[in-house]
């Protein structure tokens, strides 16, 4: 398993099973590609709108 600063090698079946279950849970909770695209689009629109309002307020 790759980590931010190093790698971790799981060898015990119980460790592999625990991480496998965690990964399956994360996959089940993740948004679909279409829903992810919609969320990102909405966040971009919100950010751009907020930035525009802040620019006008500073002037």
């Amino acid at each position: 398993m790759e980590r931010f600063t190093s790698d971790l090698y799981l060898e015990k079946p119980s460790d592999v099973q625990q991480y496998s279950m965690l990964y399956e849970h994360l996959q089940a909770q993740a948004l679909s590609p279409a829903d992810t695209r919609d969320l990102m689009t909405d966040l971009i629109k919100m950010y751009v709108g907020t930035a525009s309002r802040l620019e006008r307020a500073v002037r």
Side-chain angles (χ1 to χ4, degrees), residues 27 30-41:
Q27 281 184 306
L31 295 173
S32 69
D35 288 341
T36 299
R37 184 180 53 249
D38 292 345
L39 173 63
M40 296 302 294
T41 300

Side-chain angles (χ1 to χ4, degrees), residues 10-26:
L10 303 174
E11 296 179 6
K12 294 188 331 188
S14 60
D15 290 339
V16 173
Q17 181 182 12
Q18 183 177 6
Y19 278 93
S20 293
M21 288 175 50
L22 176 63
Y23 186 73
E24 288 174 12
H25 178 73
L26 289 172

